[in-house]
Amino acid sequence: MPTRTVAQQREERKTAYNAFIAACPTNKLLDTLSDKWTGLLLASLSDGPRRYGEIAAIVAGISNKMLTQTLRTLERDGLLDRQVTPQVPVRVDYSLTPLGVSLLPILAMLKEWAEANMDEVFAARASFDTVN
């Protein structure tokens, strides 16, 4: 295997994680992060660990299937931790990992932007719908 310079290695990583390439792992992660439920689930855990039922009560409208699927995906991606306590009945708590916590400021900025700009979005939609 030929030796590569640091610059060559950096360029290879840059190409390997190009989110504009469909097969890129970064593209798939962005797909997960932009999912309707991901941000809501992460935000529901921002105040600390919660049980499945607590999360379901906070995130209105999510089905049990989608909640389970999203929790598993986030656990697989290292954004949340699932802690099982053997008791009767078994207790399962979900909490954010440090990686998951690092996303909270980004989600907060996105939420703030959406809240601050909803009037403009509604106006743009109305204008578009009038023309089209």
Side-chain angles (χ1 to χ4, degrees):
M1 178 179 231
T3 305
R4 298 180 320 253
T5 66
V6 171
Q8 288 171 323
Q9 292 173 6
R10 188 176 20 245
E11 189 60 33
E12 287 173 6
R13 279 193 305 275
K14 190 175 172 183
T15 303
Y17 298 127
N18 183 342
F20 292 104
I21 298 172
C24 175
T26 306
N27 183 291
K28 302 210 181 312
L29 179 59
L30 287 173
D31 187 41
T32 297
L33 296 177
S34 63
D35 178 75
K36 173 182 180 177
W37 302 113
T38 296
L40 295 172
L41 290 183
L42 292 173
S44 75
L45 295 169
S46 64
D47 293 332
R50 296 196 189 276
R51 296 178 75 177
Y52 184 95
E54 294 172 312
I55 298 169
I58 293 169
V59 182
I62 192 168
S63 68
N64 286 335
K65 177 185 175 191
M66 190 50 85
L67 177 55
T68 299
Q69 183 178 324
T70 306
L71 288 170
R72 284 183 183 159
T73 299
L74 296 175
E75 181 182 8
R76 181 173 184 254
D77 287 345
L79 300 174
L80 65 83
D81 182 50
R82 181 176 181 263
Q83 182 67 43
V84 178
T85 305
Q87 63 184 43
V88 178
V90 173
R91 180 184 175 101
V92 179
D93 291 288
Y94 296 90
S95 60
L96 295 175
T97 63
L99 188 60
V101 170
S102 73
L103 267 175
L104 292 178
I106 297 164
L107 292 172
M109 286 175 24
L110 186 59
K111 176 183 171 284
E112 289 170 17
W113 181 90
E115 290 171 349
N117 291 286
M118 275 315 302
D119 290 337
E120 287 184 57
V121 171
F122 284 142
R125 287 177 182 174
S127 175
F128 180 87
D129 292 345
T130 301
V131 174
N132 296 312

